[in-house]
């Protein structure tokens, strides 16, 4: 089935939570596996790559159907990630609109620089308040280099308070698309879908998703989500599981390593990993907790058997839910940090059981 998730996307690489995302071009034809879009007439869905929970509007035209798909890729030896949800609109067998939805951290800079990645010869730029958010906008003619030919496209970016941004692309595929920048801005302001996507992002509306298990989501490139990563600080060699998520590994500078969940993007999940050889959780955790500011709340949910939950740490701008397990003569400490921190998912270790098991069974020096 036809989808706009093809060609050379003006997208980049998400390097990790708190780290910038760079913009670059990905060569055409690198899709590893084809995927058939999921048809939905209207109603509530969860976009698997971003995790956004969106109520799709109903189009009045007969046979109008939203076609949901998406793709992701690991690059730079598995250290970088890019991904997008795709929402196409078809009437019968004809594509009449296409939309790409991204959430990430961009090393291109602020949103004004991010939209410059719409690399077209007739690019124009604008600023406009849409759907309650201030957007940086770029537009121009996008060449699909296939039977779709050249069509007007518009990129819209708005920043979030936690540092990540929402980046949207809309492709005008109808028979008579807007011919000027003014007309494109007027048309996008009347769009029925993108306001709902923006509202979901602005309110943190998300839902559970396991994107790597879904047939409508394709992998681009050759690096699998389930792979072995080396954590430099703890010296653990971790076989990341096939848990439906995409993780990136990075090292801190204070003895901790981190696993950042790239897909789904929301809730924004990071696991901090520490390992203390020659001691136990019972011996080290009380003194570690005593030296930190804590946040009073019920214990986290979904803690796997063999792990012990400890009081929640109140960090500068986040909360960290702690669990610990004695493994191979060492205390293995894992902290769950999620944004927004008040959602049930931010306190639930249940969906993370497979990666916790991978950490507990990781190879050690």
């Amino acid at each position: 089935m036809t989808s706009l998730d093809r060609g050379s996307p003006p997208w980049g690489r998400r390097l990790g939570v708190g780290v910038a995302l760079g913009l670059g071009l990905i060569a055409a034809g690198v899709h590893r596996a084809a995927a058939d879009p999921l048809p939905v007439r209207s109603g509530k869905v969860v976009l698997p790559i971003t995790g956004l929970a969106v109520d799709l509007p109903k189009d009045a035209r007969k046979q109008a159907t939203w076609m949901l798909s998406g793709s992701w890729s690991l690059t730079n030896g598995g250290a970088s990630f890019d991904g997008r949800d795709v929402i196409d609109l078809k009437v019968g067998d004809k594509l009449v609109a296409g939309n790409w939805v991204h959430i990430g951290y961009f090393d291109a800079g602020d949103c004004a620089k991010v939209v410059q990645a719409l690399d077209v010869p007739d690019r124009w730029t604008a600023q406009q308040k849409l759907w309650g958010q201030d957007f940086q906008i770029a537009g121009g003619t996008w060449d699909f280099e296939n039977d779709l030919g050249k069509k007007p496209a518009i990129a819209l970016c708005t920043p979030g308070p936690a540092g990540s941004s929402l980046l949207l692309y809309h492709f005008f595929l109808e028979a008579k698309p807007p011919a000027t920048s003014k007309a494109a801005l007027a048309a996008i302001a009347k769009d029925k879908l993108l306001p709902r996507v923006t509202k979901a992002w602005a309110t943190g509306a998300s839902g559970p998703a396991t994107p790597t298990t879904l047939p409508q989501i394709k992998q681009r490139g050759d690096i699998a989500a389930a792979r072995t990563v080396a954590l430099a600080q703890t010296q653990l060699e971790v076989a990341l599981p096939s848990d439906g998520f995409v993780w990136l590994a990075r090292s801190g500078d204070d003895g901790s390593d981190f696993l950042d969940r790239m897909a789904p993007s929301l809730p924004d999940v990071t696991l901090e990993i520490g390992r203390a050889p020659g001691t136990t959780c019972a011996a080290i955790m009380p003194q570690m907790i005593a030296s930190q500011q804590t946040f009073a709340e019920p214990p986290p949910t979904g803690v796997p058997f063999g792990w012990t939950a400890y009081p929640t740490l109140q960090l500068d701008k986040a909360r960290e839910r702690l669990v610990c397990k004695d493994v191979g003569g060492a205390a293995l400490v894992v902290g769950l940090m999620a944004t927004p921190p008040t959602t049930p998912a931010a306190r639930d270790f249940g969906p993370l059981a497979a990666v916790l098991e991978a950490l507990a069974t990781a190879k050690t020096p």
Side-chain angles (χ1 to χ4, degrees):
M1 301 177 73
T2 304
S3 167
L4 284 192
D5 189 20
R6 58 191 181 186
S8 300
W11 176 236
R13 302 161 294 171
R14 181 174 174 176
L15 303 181
V17 175
V19 182
L21 182 73
L23 288 172
L25 290 179
I26 299 173
V30 297
H31 298 297
R32 181 179 179 186
D36 286 337
L38 175 68
V40 178
R41 291 298 300 272
S42 62
K44 296 180 180 179
V45 298
V46 175
L47 304 180
I49 297 295
T50 60
L52 288 171
V54 178
D55 190 3
L56 297 177
K58 185 175 182 179
D59 192 285
R61 289 169 286 187
K62 287 185 177 181
Q63 297 184 310
T65 305
W66 299 105
M67 307 299 292
L68 308 184
S69 62
S71 66
W72 62 274
S73 176
L74 290 168
T75 57
N76 191 25
S80 304
F81 169 85
D82 73 77
R84 62 176 175 266
D85 287 302
V86 178
I87 311 174
D88 297 336
L89 180 60
K90 294 184 74 174
V91 176
D93 292 329
K94 185 175 180 58
L95 277 171
V96 297
N99 303 275
W100 293 348
V101 183
H102 317 267
I103 296 175
Y105 300 80
F106 299 88
D107 69 6
D110 60 17
C111 275
K113 295 179 180 177
V114 168
V115 297
Q116 297 301 315
L118 181 62
D119 188 15
V120 292
D122 58 345
R123 182 175 59 212
W124 51 266
T125 60
Q127 301 179 43
Q128 187 162 320
K129 194 174 189 69
L130 293 167
W131 321 307
Q133 304 295 321
D134 293 317
F135 279 93
Q136 296 288 336
I137 302 171
T141 304
W142 180 261
D143 188 352
F144 284 94
E145 299 180 349
N146 57 26
D147 55 331
L148 290 174
K150 297 180 179 181
K151 300 291 184 179
I154 189 168
L156 310 98
C157 180
T158 185
S164 68
S165 297
L166 173 69
L167 175 62
L168 306 170
Y169 277 83
H170 180 83
F171 301 93
F172 298 96
L173 306 179
E174 57 267 28
K176 295 182 179 180
T180 65
S181 60
K182 183 178 180 180
L185 289 170
I188 206 67
K190 297 178 182 178
D191 190 81
K192 302 299 183 183
L193 170 69
L194 296 185
R196 299 188 181 206
V197 173
T198 302
K199 180 181 179 181
W201 171 80
T203 59
S206 63
T210 52
T212 66
T213 68
L214 300 177
Q216 71 270 28
I217 302 298
K218 71 181 78 172
Q219 177 190 341
R220 290 178 277 109
D222 298 321
I223 302 176
R227 65 199 190 281
T228 298
V229 296
L231 304 182
Q233 297 291 330
T234 56
Q235 297 186 307
L236 295 174
E237 189 173 306
V238 184
L240 293 175
S242 298
D243 57 0
F245 304 145
V246 183
W247 296 92
L248 288 189
R250 61 183 171 93
S251 294
D253 54 7
D254 59 355
S256 295
D257 294 301
F258 298 89
L259 291 176
D260 299 320
R261 194 177 71 177
M262 300 291 99
S265 303
L266 296 179
D268 203 338
V269 171
T270 288
L271 297 179
E272 182 177 11
I273 303 112
R275 181 175 179 269
T279 189
T280 65
C281 296
I284 194 174
M285 293 303 291
Q287 55 184 302
M288 188 182 83
I289 296 295
S291 66
Q292 303 285 335
Q293 181 180 352
T294 59
F295 179 82
E297 65 175 4
T301 59
V303 177
F305 178 79
W307 293 81
T308 301
Y310 289 87
T312 297
L313 299 185
Q314 178 64 63
L315 306 180
D316 183 25
K317 295 182 179 180
R319 295 172 193 166
E320 186 168 12
R321 281 83 184 193
L322 297 175
V323 295
C324 186
K325 184 175 184 178
D326 295 329
V327 179
L332 180 62
V333 185
V334 177
L336 166 60
M337 295 175 285
T339 303
T342 56
T343 62
R347 300 178 51 251
D348 187 4
F349 281 89
L352 310 175
V355 77
L356 287 176
E357 178 64 16
L359 290 167
T361 57
K363 293 183 179 180
T364 56

